Amino acid sequence: SGQSEAMSQRARAGTQQPSQRAQQVSQAKARSTQQGPVSLNDVHRQMFLQSLMQAMYMTEDSCRNLLARICGSDALYSTVLRELNERIAFSSLKIKTIQNPVDGKRYVGLVNTLEDKAAENASEFTIPQRDFFRAMVSSIAESPNEVAPGVPYAPEMTLLNLEARAVNATQATQGEGTQAGNRTTKAEKSKVIRELVVTGWLSSTPGMAGFYCLGPRTLLELGDHLLNLELAGSTRDVWQDVL
């Protein structure tokens, strides 16, 4: 009976050891992930930058997850952003982070530091449509109505009635302005608004159907321009902190 009990104990030990080993391996992997990768090479940096360029913008959580998928950890996230910004500064590009007052989330985007170029990034639109976008940005940003501090909004009807401002230098030089043939119809404007929401330039106002506020991409790319507008006091106070 003593021999039988000893064999039973060895059998139980044998079944526990693989489980314990698996647990130890899992814990080791967790510690490795928390401590960060052994090294971060240029291939990792290039993959991260290319992915960010393709996405144009994303939440900070998604950005950290992207880095973790590439090199196994997000422990060097701040270091990667700093190093990449040093490398791309010559091209007037910058990886920028802001906190969006609309949803409270932090967003990361690759932005053009030249204001004129940043305003032209919605390149899928015609010049009159881009001028209409600029007019909407000003109208929303300067609105005294806020759904929350730092979140001014405007009704769709107000936006549809805006006339695109002739701000294109070439147009102004050639005297084209916003002639009747170049104006955007209300149907086109409505389509542009929907597309701007999808691409992150505008956002639907939370809890208010048919009203719009500025999207995270506008806050990322046009921050300096926004702070130069005639903003309500509460809007300016919030934007100076988060943009």
Side-chain angles (χ1 to χ4, degrees):
S1 102
Q3 185 178 5
S4 175
E5 183 178 353
M7 290 177 63
S8 176
Q9 289 175 348
R10 284 197 296 272
R12 286 195 300 270
T15 58
Q16 289 173 352
Q17 285 173 0
S19 176
Q20 290 171 347
R21 284 196 296 271
Q23 186 177 7
Q24 290 171 352
V25 170
S26 177
Q27 290 173 347
K29 286 182 178 179
R31 286 194 298 270
S32 175
T33 300
Q34 292 169 358
Q35 292 168 358
V38 175
S39 64
L40 184 70
N41 58 43
D42 284 343
V43 174
H44 294 147
R45 295 183 182 89
Q46 189 63 27
M47 290 175 63
F48 179 78
L49 181 59
Q50 287 179 344
S51 297
L52 188 55
M53 290 177 68
Q54 291 175 353
M56 295 308 297
Y57 80 102
M58 62 181 71
T59 64
E60 187 175 59
D61 286 345
S62 297
C63 203
R64 284 182 172 276
N65 289 337
L66 170 63
L67 183 62
R69 289 197 303 271
I70 291 173
C71 61
S73 171
D74 69 346
L76 297 178
Y77 175 78
S78 298
T79 300
V80 171
L81 261 59
R82 186 185 69 252
E83 291 176 348
L84 287 176
N85 272 332
E86 291 173 354
R87 295 187 181 196
I88 64 177
F90 76 94
S91 60
S92 300
L93 293 175
K94 178 183 179 182
I95 300 174
K96 183 178 179 181
T97 304
I98 59 102
Q99 182 170 350
N100 184 4
V102 178
D103 58 15
K105 296 179 181 178
R106 289 172 63 82
Y107 285 82
V108 181
L110 187 67
V111 306
N112 199 310
T113 57
L114 300 178
E115 184 176 312
D116 291 343
K117 292 295 182 183
E120 294 174 4
N121 276 348
S123 56
E124 65 270 24
F125 299 110
T126 65
I127 290 176
Q129 288 171 342
R130 290 203 298 269
D131 291 345
F132 171 56
F133 165 64
R134 292 185 179 93
M136 284 194 291
V137 168
S138 296
S139 179
I140 294 172
E142 295 176 348
S143 171
N145 302 314
E146 290 183 323
V147 68
V151 189
Y153 66 90
E156 183 174 11
M157 188 57 64
T158 296
L159 301 180
L160 292 176
N161 288 329
L162 290 173
E163 289 296 335
R165 301 174 183 177
V167 296
N168 182 269
T170 303
Q171 283 183 307
T173 301
Q174 295 176 352
E176 293 180 6
T178 36
Q179 297 175 355
N182 290 331
R183 286 179 180 166
T184 306
T185 66
K186 284 192 175 182
E188 291 173 330
K189 290 176 181 178
S190 182
K191 182 180 178 181
V192 168
I193 289 174
R194 304 293 182 272
E195 292 176 355
L196 289 170
V197 170
V198 171
T199 52
W201 294 100
L202 295 180
S203 291
S204 297
T205 303
M208 300 177 65
F211 292 80
Y212 295 92
C213 49
L214 300 182
R217 197 168 172 189
T218 296
L219 299 175
L220 273 164
E221 301 212 27
L222 300 179
D224 290 342
H225 169 71
L226 294 174
L227 292 175
N228 285 327
L229 297 176
E230 296 295 325
L231 305 175
S234 56
T235 298
R236 182 175 299 280
D237 290 343
V238 172
W239 284 3
Q240 284 178 332
D241 288 337
V242 301
L243 299 186

